[in-house]
Amino acid sequence: MLMEEKIKLLGMTPAQLQEVALEAGLPKYTASQIASWLYKKKVRSIDQMTNLSKVAREKLSERYVVGATPYSFVQSSTDGTRKYLFPVSIEKGQGWKNLDGSPVREESSIEAVMIPDGDRATLCVSSQSGCRMGCKFCMTGRQGFHGSLSVADILSQLVGVDETDQLTNVVFMGMGEPLDNYENVLAAINVMTSDWGFGWSPKRITLSTIGVIPNLKRYLADCKCHLAVSLHNPFPEERASMMPAQKAWSEEAILDLLRQYDFSGQRRVSFEYTMFAGFNDDKRHADALARMLKGIECRVNLIRFHRIPDFPYGCPAPAVMDAFKERLERQGVTTTIRASRGEDILAACGMLAGEHGRKKDE
């Protein structure tokens, strides 16, 4: 019989923490104390919860751990960007059970990227190990799908980086498709935006998706955080050649859904457009993109493609990107060219692969 794995407290709501407290024979108000230690003070162990009695801490420690996994490696870019490697334990999937009936788990790793920019510090977090969307220009998608992260795995990235207390923004743009792990991603956002949690405004959080329509509908109904949609090509057949998910959730259907919502207020929608030289960077594409987005209050972010092995396209020249931007703006589409950050440490868009063996900074 395998030893019972301890339960992680990180990610629990006050209601769930009340159940934990009552089960341990502690008063209900203990739940708010535990929540404060987890989300305000960001402790790493139950022993650090010093306003709980020693007996209470020992009782909790019998079955529970905080569950914040420290990073194993960190690498720094010349531009100040830092990439963190976090170990994760992923359930192997249905049908794989230990002798005691518990799920078989596999060790994997994911990456989070901290991007400094003046008085802003943005953390790009992962939601899965690998990805099942299969976008051909993305290193994460090329490695296949290993599993979805737990709420604790997601929050460990926020509390585990060295800059945790300086973070101003979070973007779900790391490894994985956030809407393919909807329940855990929304639970993590709930911790981040609740008064009992991190207390962040939803305006500080952006979720990026290729457009998993069933869960996109839920996200738009449930959440007030910003949205970024990975578009990359206005022509369905061309988009499908790079993004297999186009066949399941077409860009037309995604945009039809978005037109039902108001993005002129606090919640914003943007469209990510990675540019590939000779594939999606000419006047025809710019004009089609402008027509496609007509009537949606939005911004287009043009992204320089960062070359990866065994891929036929490179990044257009700066003049080509500037011309594409100007053509969109002349047709009323607010457009920016996103600055490339962390390319020298494989931390830029589309380059995350959860690689082992990173040298830890001294």
Side-chain angles (χ1 to χ4, degrees):
M1 181 79 65
L2 296 175
M3 183 179 295
E4 183 179 0
E5 187 175 350
K6 291 187 178 181
I7 301 169
K8 295 179 179 180
L9 297 173
L10 190 65
M12 288 191 180
T13 65
Q16 292 169 323
L17 291 172
Q18 279 191 8
E19 294 179 8
V20 169
L22 293 175
E23 182 187 82
L26 304 173
K28 288 176 67 174
Y29 66 78
T30 307
S32 62
Q33 295 175 306
I34 297 173
S36 178
W37 286 110
L38 292 174
Y39 306 127
K40 306 299 185 188
K41 301 180 179 70
K42 302 175 185 175
V43 297
R44 300 300 179 88
S45 73
I46 291 173
D47 282 342
Q48 292 176 292
M49 300 180 183
T50 51
N51 63 349
L52 304 184
S53 70
K54 184 178 180 181
V55 172
R57 282 177 276 157
E58 289 174 349
K59 195 79 172 174
L60 286 172
S61 297
E62 290 175 4
R63 288 203 63 196
Y64 300 95
V65 291
V66 167
T69 304
Y71 64 84
S72 54
F73 294 94
V74 61
Q75 196 171 21
S76 297
S77 166
T78 55
D79 64 22
T81 298
R82 305 188 82 204
K83 181 168 71 169
Y84 291 86
L85 186 74
F86 286 87
V88 291
S89 180
I90 302 291
E91 287 190 17
K92 191 168 183 180
Q94 294 182 347
W96 292 87
K97 299 290 183 181
N98 292 308
L99 293 177
D100 65 351
S102 61
V104 173
R105 306 187 73 86
E106 290 183 331
E107 299 307 309
S108 187
S109 56
I110 54 95
E111 292 173 323
V113 179
M114 193 289 299
I115 307 165
D117 184 15
D119 58 357
R120 291 167 62 98
T122 300
L123 189 68
C124 177
V125 301
S126 294
S127 56
Q128 295 179 316
S129 176
C131 183
R132 65 173 117 229
M133 298 300 117
C135 297
K136 294 182 180 179
F137 51 87
C138 176
M139 289 293 290
T140 305
R142 284 183 163 200
Q143 69 177 245
F145 178 68
H146 305 300
S148 289
L149 302 189
S150 67
V151 183
D153 289 332
I154 295 170
L155 294 177
S156 284
Q157 297 168 71
L158 278 83
V159 302
V161 298
D162 295 340
E163 301 82 6
T164 180
D165 292 329
Q166 286 77 52
L167 296 177
T168 61
N169 299 82
V170 163
V171 292
F172 282 86
M173 295 183 182
M175 298 173 68
E177 163 55 60
L179 295 187
D180 192 35
N181 186 19
Y182 183 81
E183 303 295 345
N184 289 345
V185 167
L186 262 289
I189 289 175
N190 186 39
V191 171
M192 295 163 63
T193 56
S194 294
D195 290 340
W196 50 262
F198 295 165
W200 282 27
S201 164
K203 294 187 292 184
R204 297 170 63 180
I205 303 166
T206 301
L207 180 144
S208 177
T209 178
I210 56 90
V212 182
I213 288 179
N215 286 337
L216 179 55
K217 291 179 180 178
R218 298 174 66 189
Y219 177 78
L220 291 168
D222 297 345
C223 189
K224 299 301 182 185
C225 297
H226 299 315
L227 176 69
V229 178
S230 296
L231 207 55
H232 308 310
N233 202 301
F235 298 110
E237 290 186 3
E238 292 182 14
R239 186 173 189 256
S241 72
M242 289 280 198
M243 303 172 67
Q246 163 72 16
K247 298 171 185 177
W249 306 295
S250 71
E251 55 192 352
E252 295 92 339
I254 295 166
L255 295 174
D256 285 346
L257 173 63
L258 295 180
R259 285 191 174 90
Q260 300 174 31
Y261 294 84
D262 179 13
F263 294 102
S264 62
Q266 291 190 341
R267 180 168 63 182
R268 300 191 303 268
V269 63
S270 60
F271 293 93
E272 311 296 286
Y273 195 94
T274 300
M275 297 194 69
F276 308 100
F279 180 74
N280 67 347
D281 61 347
D282 59 20
K283 297 177 182 178
R284 181 175 67 99
H285 290 88
D287 292 345
L289 183 60
R291 289 194 301 270
M292 174 176 281
L293 299 181
K294 190 173 182 179
I296 300 177
E297 186 78 21
C298 66
R299 175 185 299 273
V300 169
N301 291 317
L302 302 181
I303 301 170
R304 296 178 176 87
F305 174 63
H306 306 99
R307 187 175 288 279
I308 59 177
D310 303 317
F311 189 78
Y313 298 104
C315 181
V320 174
M321 295 190 67
D322 289 339
F324 197 94
K325 174 181 182 291
E326 291 169 6
R327 195 169 185 91
L328 287 176
E329 290 185 328
R330 284 200 301 269
Q331 297 178 70
V333 181
T334 302
T335 308
T336 59
I337 297 176
R338 181 182 292 167
S340 180
R341 302 294 299 272
E343 186 175 3
D344 58 327
I345 57 169
L346 303 181
C349 292
M351 303 185 82
L352 299 186
E355 294 180 8
H356 291 278
R358 297 295 187 196
K359 181 180 178 182
K360 189 169 184 178
D361 283 357
E362 297 297 331

